[in-house]
Amino acid sequence: MLQKKIRKLRISLSCRNCNDQKFEKNIGKMMIQQTGFISTYSVLSYAAGVAGNFFAFVLFVSPMPTFRRIIRRQSTEQFSGLPYVYALLNCLICLWYGMPIISPGIILVATVNSVGAIFQMIYIIIFIAYAERGKKVKMLGLLLAVFAVFSIIICVSLKLFEPPNRQLFVGYLSVLSLISMFASPLFVINLVIKTKSVEYMPFYLSLATFLMSLSFFGYGMFKQDLFISVPNGIGSLLGIIQLVLYFCYSRSSDGGRPRAPLLESYA
């Protein structure tokens, strides 16, 4: 009897070991699958951010023909420098939001807006250099106001807020800033509908705007960051509307070839 009990005990122990081994194997497989999923997720997130940076760069260089003309004629003519001042403030706020001290893990937001801020500063400096005295003083005043506002935002966010409230504060400011920039595509959409012409809405500029917004919408979704995904989702919808309008009205424009955009009004 004793030998039978010992034999049963050995069998039960061996079965338990087998079950433990199977359990460990299943856990190992699950960990490998989860690691693979996280790796793919990270790659897609990074790819979306890099794509957004690329298409944003295309938009940053788009005003270059205007500033070549300003340099060549040594005059700002009827062009306005206000859009570049607004764009600079927007880039600075979004740059601050993307910094690790505010929002860890979204450094690609910081990179794209740092590049954008540099481009806007260059454009503003050129504009001031060739502007008339009245415009020059006005632009210098606006530039100082931008730096003052940005400095206040930095001080308030660091002194009065602690994580995660700091991220919420700067995030809401960045969303408001981005939404205010939608005045440009809304103006273009209204102009196209009124004139039934895409004369002032270049296709490639509209396409780049749409692709940039779509890329950062995806990046925001991957990062589960509503402060990125929501405004860029709105931007994507506006981009779709612009592209649809382009294909609807392009035939009625001069040979389907749009002119340069109204940079003096909304660039």
Side-chain angles (χ1 to χ4, degrees), residues 85 88-89 92 121 124 128 136-152:
V85 174
L88 175 62
L89 180 60
L92 290 174
M121 273 301 303
I124 291 170
I128 291 173
K136 192 173 294 192
V137 172
K138 182 180 178 181
M139 286 294 292
L140 282 171
L142 289 172
L143 186 59
L144 291 174
V146 165
F147 288 133
V149 169
F150 184 55
S151 299
I152 292 171

Side-chain angles (χ1 to χ4, degrees), residues 172-190:
Y172 281 120
L173 288 178
S174 67
V175 169
L176 290 174
S177 177
L178 285 168
I179 290 176
S180 69
M181 297 298 289
F182 292 150
S184 172
L186 285 173
F187 172 79
V188 177
I189 289 169
N190 183 54

Side-chain angles (χ1 to χ4, degrees), residues 144-162:
L144 291 174
V146 165
F147 288 133
V149 169
F150 184 55
S151 299
I152 292 171
I153 291 172
I154 291 176
C155 291
V156 170
S157 59
L158 292 178
K159 298 292 185 182
L160 301 183
F161 294 95
E162 295 291 336

Side-chain angles (χ1 to χ4, degrees), residues 171-245:
Y172 281 120
L173 288 178
S174 67
V175 169
L176 290 174
S177 177
L178 285 168
I179 290 176
S180 69
M181 297 298 289
F182 292 150
S184 172
L186 285 173
F187 172 79
V188 177
I189 289 169
N190 183 54
L191 185 65
V192 170
I193 293 173
K194 278 186 176 181
T195 62
K196 299 185 184 303
S197 170
V198 293
E199 183 179 8
Y200 298 108
M201 190 175 73
F203 172 73
Y204 292 109
L205 198 59
S206 299
L207 181 62
T209 303
F210 166 67
L211 292 175
M212 181 201 69
S213 297
L214 185 64
S215 298
F216 276 112
F217 170 72
Y219 185 69
M221 292 297 289
F222 282 122
K223 294 293 185 179
Q224 299 180 349
D225 191 323
L226 292 176
F227 293 124
I228 301 174
S229 59
V230 170
N232 283 288
I234 297 172
S236 299
L237 290 175
L238 291 175
I240 291 172
I241 293 171
Q242 282 186 314
L243 293 174
V244 170
L245 288 174

Side-chain angles (χ1 to χ4, degrees), residues 11-22:
I11 291 171
S12 64
L13 287 172
S14 63
C15 289
R16 186 178 295 177
N17 289 333
C18 290
N19 290 332
D20 289 343
Q21 289 176 358
K22 288 180 181 178

Side-chain angles (χ1 to χ4, degrees), residues 51-109:
N53 274 250
F54 172 76
F55 293 121
F57 181 81
V58 174
L59 293 177
F60 293 149
V61 301
S62 63
M64 280 188 174
T66 299
F67 285 91
R68 286 200 200 99
R69 173 175 167 177
I70 288 173
I71 293 171
R72 186 173 62 251
R73 299 190 179 184
Q74 297 187 352
S75 171
T76 57
E77 300 175 336
Q78 298 302 312
F79 293 108
S80 171
L82 291 178
Y84 307 102
V85 174
Y86 295 145
L88 175 62
L89 180 60
N90 175 68
C91 286
L92 290 174
I93 293 173
C94 293
L95 166 62
W96 184 235
Y97 177 73
M99 295 298 288
I101 193 173
I102 303 296
S103 307
I106 56 168
I107 194 65
L108 289 175
V109 172

